[in-house]
Amino acid sequence: MPSTMKGPAIFLAQFAGDAAPFNTLKSITSWAGSLGYKGVQIPTPDARLFDLQKAATSKTYCDEIKGICAEAGVEITELSTHLQGQLVAVHPAYDAQFDAFAPVSVHGKPKERQQWAVEQMRLGAKASQNLGLKACVSFTGSLAFPYLYPWPQRPAGLIEEAFTELGKRWRPILDAYDDAGVDLCFELHPGEDAFDGVTFEMLLDAVGGHKRCNINYDPSHFLLQQLDYLAFIDIYHERIKAFHVKDAEFNPTGRQGVYSGYQGWLNRAGRFRSLGDGQVDFTGIFSKLAQYGYDSWAVLEWECCLKHPEDGAAEGAPFIEGHIIRVTEKAFDDFAGGTSDRKTLRAMMGLE
């Protein structure tokens, strides 16, 4: 039977805060439900909303979490382990910046921080299983990204060695997700070693084509790279198991282009925008995903450089709902059809 994707849903990470209604799972899911969202993607590092350790060890706690969401009229789409996944592989150039993603006890201790991140990822697999989820979204981390531009000339084998090491780190984690029956969906994102189709293929090769190594599709990052994000779906649709609905715009000038001249988000040629305010062809995207039978969630990720987040959230639910295609169960010309057999077919071509 044809499959229709689920939604609208919303990623809670950019909205969680210390003030109500964004400071507890109960209140933030009620807020999301009131806006028309049917699902929520939960950031696992945010203790105000979720206890990853408890979710990995207690089905009772998971039932309580699902109950809170159900009371608000929403269900959990996926758990997000983006920050922990980032720390599975960190180039020394980024050590100080990424320490903020980890507990103070491992700050300044790269090996201990990496071990903590790996354990967090394993907890994410078990927690997802306990919640009955099919996918978890994350980042790959990066060892090679500082060498993105090939100047100065890269030593032969540098990138290959980086992806070999990345594969060694992720393979056992992916095995844990396979044991849990959960797909691990990497958001292909600049700053990660897997940031486009080619680099995803390099990661996939490094983990032996692991069936749990999949994609969280986010077109905003592809538009800012000037990548053909519709053709990407044609190529990688079998690996797309999650979907962030996020808009962006790219407005190059005589002064800056893709690299955006070290400017802040407001002054960059490439900027994230609220849904409908950017340049992403969502009609094309939703059509492509429907064509290939994508049946998981369409999840708003809000990161606009201009619009207030609450306005972006309020506009996001009807935007996504209006783009979801209810997939037809029959062809438009079925009414004109008839029965056929080989003899009839051959006769139509003058062969009988």
Side-chain angles (χ1 to χ4, degrees), residues 3-9 38-39 75-78 134 243 245 286 294-299 320 324-325:
S3 301
T4 297
M5 78 173 67
K6 295 179 284 188
K38 300 175 182 177
E75 57 184 288
I76 303 168
T77 65
E78 301 93 7
K134 295 181 179 180
F243 175 24
V245 190
F286 278 81
Y294 176 80
D295 61 358
S296 194
W297 288 91
V299 182
I320 293 174
I324 291 177
I325 296 171

Side-chain angles (χ1 to χ4, degrees), residues 148 187-190 192-202 215 221-222 225 227 232 236:
L148 172 69
E187 184 170 344
L188 306 182
H189 186 296
E192 314 305 316
D193 278 348
F195 58 86
D196 60 8
V198 172
T199 51
F200 175 73
E201 291 177 23
M202 293 168 70
I215 296 169
H221 303 301
F222 296 155
Q225 296 179 62
L227 183 153
F232 182 95
Y236 300 107

Side-chain angles (χ1 to χ4, degrees), residues 42 50-67 76-79 121-136 176-177 179-182:
I42 298 179
F50 192 74
D51 187 325
L52 181 59
Q53 176 77 39
K54 188 179 290 188
T57 56
S58 172
K59 288 189 176 181
T60 300
Y61 173 73
C62 288
D63 288 342
E64 292 173 358
I65 293 295
K66 290 192 291 184
I76 303 168
T77 65
E78 301 93 7
L79 297 180
M121 291 304 305
R122 291 180 179 275
L123 293 175
K126 192 62 180 178
S128 296
Q129 181 183 38
N130 287 344
L131 288 164
L133 303 177
K134 295 181 179 180
C136 175
Y177 278 78
D179 291 342
V182 177

Side-chain angles (χ1 to χ4, degrees), residues 132-187:
L133 303 177
K134 295 181 179 180
C136 175
V137 292
S138 198
F139 281 149
T140 66
S142 60
L143 298 172
F145 197 78
Y147 308 107
L148 172 69
Y149 197 79
W151 180 261
Q153 183 178 358
R154 294 188 292 252
L158 176 67
I159 302 303
E160 291 79 5
E161 186 62 30
F163 275 88
T164 296
E165 177 63 26
L166 203 65
K168 288 179 181 178
R169 295 188 186 192
W170 280 107
R171 182 62 185 261
I173 298 173
L174 288 163
D175 287 343
Y177 278 78
D178 193 27
D179 291 342
V182 177
D183 289 318
L184 187 54
C185 304
F186 293 111
E187 184 170 344

Side-chain angles (χ1 to χ4, degrees), residues 92-351:
Y94 300 139
D95 269 337
Q97 291 165 279
F98 285 145
D99 262 352
F101 290 1
V104 174
S105 60
V106 296
H107 285 188
K109 304 173 183 177
K111 289 185 178 180
E112 289 87 342
R113 184 187 61 204
Q114 197 260 345
Q115 291 169 355
W116 173 84
V118 169
E119 179 58 22
Q120 285 280 297
M121 291 304 305
R122 291 180 179 275
L123 293 175
K126 192 62 180 178
S128 296
Q129 181 183 38
N130 287 344
L131 288 164
L133 303 177
K134 295 181 179 180
C136 175
V137 292
S138 198
F139 281 149
T140 66
S142 60
L143 298 172
F145 197 78
Y147 308 107
L148 172 69
Y149 197 79
W151 180 261
Q153 183 178 358
R154 294 188 292 252
L158 176 67
I159 302 303
E160 291 79 5
E161 186 62 30
F163 275 88
T164 296
E165 177 63 26
L166 203 65
K168 288 179 181 178
R169 295 188 186 192
W170 280 107
R171 182 62 185 261
I173 298 173
L174 288 163
D175 287 343
Y177 278 78
D178 193 27
D179 291 342
V182 177
D183 289 318
L184 187 54
C185 304
F186 293 111
E187 184 170 344
L188 306 182
H189 186 296
E192 314 305 316
D193 278 348
F195 58 86
D196 60 8
V198 172
T199 51
F200 175 73
E201 291 177 23
M202 293 168 70
L203 174 64
L204 194 59
D205 288 343
V207 295
H210 204 294
K211 69 179 183 179
R212 297 299 178 180
C213 181
N214 289 294
I215 296 169
N216 177 34
Y217 177 77
D218 184 335
S220 68
H221 303 301
F222 296 155
L223 185 139
L224 298 191
Q225 296 179 62
Q226 293 295 278
L227 183 153
D228 187 336
Y229 50 83
L230 294 179
F232 182 95
I233 299 173
D234 290 326
I235 299 167
Y236 300 107
H237 58 89
E238 292 181 354
R239 293 278 178 172
I240 296 174
K241 305 292 186 180
F243 175 24
H244 269 178
V245 190
K246 190 169 74 175
D247 211 344
E249 62 184 2
F250 180 64
N251 300 307
T253 70
R255 290 189 170 91
Q256 58 166 296
V258 170
Y259 299 109
S260 292
Y262 295 113
Q263 298 303 294
W265 284 112
L266 189 62
N267 296 317
R268 293 175 66 86
R271 312 191 298 184
F272 296 134
R273 298 299 306 274
S274 286
L275 293 185
D277 294 343
Q279 299 167 350
V280 173
D281 177 8
F282 285 108
T283 298
I285 288 170
F286 278 81
S287 296
K288 287 279 189 184
L289 291 174
Q291 173 185 339
Y292 290 114
Y294 176 80
D295 61 358
S296 194
W297 288 91
V299 182
L300 167 71
E301 184 180 25
W302 175 91
E303 289 182 346
C304 186
C305 63
L306 290 173
K307 186 169 287 183
H308 192 282
E310 292 182 44
D311 293 340
E315 295 171 1
F319 184 93
I320 293 174
E321 188 167 27
H323 278 80
I324 291 177
I325 296 171
R326 182 183 175 192
V327 181
T328 181
E329 298 177 356
K330 62 179 183 178
F332 72 91
D333 57 353
D334 279 351
F335 73 94
T339 59
S340 66
D341 53 43
R342 186 167 181 266
K343 183 176 181 180
T344 301
L345 298 176
R346 292 180 62 80
M348 289 176 66
M349 295 180 284
L351 302 176

